[in-house]
Amino acid sequence: MAFNYEYYLRMDKMPHMWCPGCGIGIVVKAMLRAIDKMGWSKDDVAVVSGIGCTSRTPGYVDFNTLHTTHGRALTFATGLKLARPDKHVIVISGDGDAAAIGGNHFLHACRRNIDLTLIVVNNYIYGMTGGQASPTTPFGARASTAPYGAVDSPLDISRVAIAAGASYVARGTVAQGFMLEKFIYNGFKHKGFAVIEAMSTCPIQYGRRNKLSDPVQLLKWVKEHGVPAKKAEKMSPEELEGKFITGELHNQERVEYTEEYELVRQRAQEAAGAR
Amino acid sequence: MAETATAEKVAKKKEKPAPRIEVIDEFCKGCNICVDICPTNVLEMKPDPTRWVGAVVVVTRPEACTRCMLCEIHCPDFAIKVY
């Protein structure tokens, strides 16, 4: 049966401003279905975003929402979670927001392992500001600041998250909506910092400059470049060049920050009482 | 025993109403993803010069729908609903 998205959306703001064929809508849908599956009340969920195309999400979803400064969504979310540890805080950000401007905050949120869910919508470019090359622009791809091809190697956000200490890391593509929903759902269930990287599409800013302006063509490109983790084990590094590994990449139980901080508070209060 | 169970299942399946696809016209941006992703070619893109995108999706073969939900899941504009 059809899913009742209207219940979770601010229908007076619809239709949304994302371009035709933009993958963010698919990610937001997967997120809403996962929230519904968790059975959370709308009042118990907070959606936080920074700046960029993805940051429009809090404007369209009917939860407690916060639209913050560029790259600082995770810092605001950390404060929110520490003030109200009983609430479920979800951060949705783009590749520029999470890996470039907020790169430092991203690393330290991973290290801290605070109980947040971060959804990174990776579309390989700065979409909203005019198609500048972002940290995840593939090698040789064209952008408005790299008209003859980007010469930087792209950043692998999921691998960075694992190295920095995030306890749940998964990567899906917008071409596989059911899988994305599953990863986001598992990320919500996970106690600790969960990173879900959604490989998305940007037909207007990325596709138009890279001979992939048709949304369908770009969606197929994303699907073809995603290699399941099990298949990737059998492939050589040369074969994996330019591709990305999808699936649940990391799942580990670790000390969670808000719980540990509560213990610190108790210890401090006991010490103060003993004095 | 097993046979009756399967027969019941088949009967239940038959009871289910036929799939119905709803398109919210004002949300559709004509990106063509649903038309391409549908395995049974239920949907079609119809040119519509009155709209700024120039096209809108229409349901042409509703009887072929298998209710796989791929179009609903992958529509980025919240425009398709499969009942």
Side-chain angles (χ1 to χ4, degrees), chain A residues 160-173:
Chain A
V160 170
I162 295 169
S167 48
Y168 179 89
V169 181
R171 192 196 265 133
T173 71

Side-chain angles (χ1 to χ4, degrees), chain A residues 23 26-27 30 118-124 156-158 168-184 195-201 219 222-229 244-250, chain B residues 74:
Chain A
I26 302 172
V27 180
L118 170 68
I119 302 169
V120 185
V121 183
N122 185 352
N123 60 359
Y124 333 109
D156 191 327
I157 296 176
S158 293
Y168 179 89
V169 181
R171 192 196 265 133
T173 71
V174 292
Q176 291 137 324
F178 288 108
M179 200 165 80
L180 202 57
E181 180 192 339
K182 195 182 92 188
F183 292 154
I184 296 174
V195 181
I196 294 102
E197 188 184 3
M199 304 310 266
S200 183
T201 57
L219 209 67
V222 168
K223 200 174 180 181
E224 278 163 17
H225 281 69
V227 183
F244 46 81
I245 301 164
T246 59
E248 275 184 12
L249 305 174
H250 189 66
Chain B
H74 291 93

Side-chain angles (χ1 to χ4, degrees), chain A residues 2-3 16 18 22 29 175 177, chain B residues 29 72 74-77 81-82:
Chain A
F3 184 83
H16 58 62
W18 295 313
C22 173
K29 275 179 139 175
Chain B
K29 289 177 185 160
E72 192 193 302
H74 291 93
C75 171
D77 302 306
K81 291 198 154 261
V82 183

Side-chain angles (χ1 to χ4, degrees), chain A residues 27-271:
Chain A
V27 180
V28 172
K29 275 179 139 175
M31 184 182 87
L32 295 180
R33 286 196 307 273
I35 290 172
D36 187 75
K37 227 168 148 188
M38 290 299 288
W40 290 340
S41 151
K42 283 205 277 192
D43 293 332
D44 288 343
V45 178
V47 180
V48 186
S49 78
I51 298 291
C53 293
T54 36
S55 77
R56 303 299 302 170
T57 308
Y60 300 124
V61 292
D62 191 16
F63 301 109
N64 303 294
T65 54
L66 184 62
H67 184 187
T68 71
T69 50
H70 204 353
R72 272 69 185 168
L74 277 169
T75 60
F76 284 87
T78 304
L80 205 59
K81 185 73 190 177
L82 277 173
R84 297 295 300 268
D86 56 317
K87 301 289 176 204
H88 312 288
V89 185
I90 304 160
V91 183
I92 183 153
S93 77
D95 51 322
D97 203 34
I101 293 96
N104 203 1
H105 301 304
F106 173 63
L107 292 181
H108 291 285
C110 291
R111 183 174 68 94
R112 192 170 271 160
N113 196 33
I114 184 162
D115 189 17
L116 300 175
T117 307
L118 170 68
I119 302 169
V120 185
V121 183
N122 185 352
N123 60 359
Y124 333 109
I125 209 141
Y126 286 101
M128 187 174 267
T129 51
Q132 292 86 350
S134 84
T136 54
T137 304
F139 182 80
R142 285 156 201 259
S144 70
T145 50
Y148 303 104
V151 284
D152 310 82
S153 282
L155 187 75
D156 191 327
I157 296 176
S158 293
R159 272 170 69 188
V160 170
I162 295 169
S167 48
Y168 179 89
V169 181
R171 192 196 265 133
T173 71
V174 292
Q176 291 137 324
F178 288 108
M179 200 165 80
L180 202 57
E181 180 192 339
K182 195 182 92 188
F183 292 154
I184 296 174
Y185 176 67
N186 290 348
F188 287 162
K189 278 201 298 186
H190 183 79
K191 192 97 185 134
F193 193 71
V195 181
I196 294 102
E197 188 184 3
M199 304 310 266
S200 183
T201 57
C202 182
I204 303 294
Q205 298 291 12
Y206 180 79
R208 200 159 49 88
R209 293 187 170 87
N210 292 286
K211 295 182 181 142
L212 292 162
S213 59
D214 181 22
V216 173
Q217 212 185 342
L218 191 53
L219 209 67
K220 277 186 182 150
W221 181 88
V222 168
K223 200 174 180 181
E224 278 163 17
H225 281 69
V227 183
K230 268 203 180 139
K231 197 178 166 193
E233 279 170 16
K234 292 175 199 148
M235 286 167 80
S236 65
E238 289 81 40
E239 283 175 309
L240 283 171
E241 193 71 40
K243 306 223 163 153
F244 46 81
I245 301 164
T246 59
E248 275 184 12
L249 305 174
H250 189 66
N251 194 349
Q252 179 200 22
E253 291 297 322
R254 254 185 65 202
V255 180
E256 201 272 315
Y257 189 76
T258 48
E259 282 175 2
E260 201 58 26
Y261 202 80
E262 191 55 40
L263 295 178
V264 169
R265 261 175 48 170
Q266 281 172 17
R267 281 205 295 272
Q269 277 167 0
E270 276 165 24

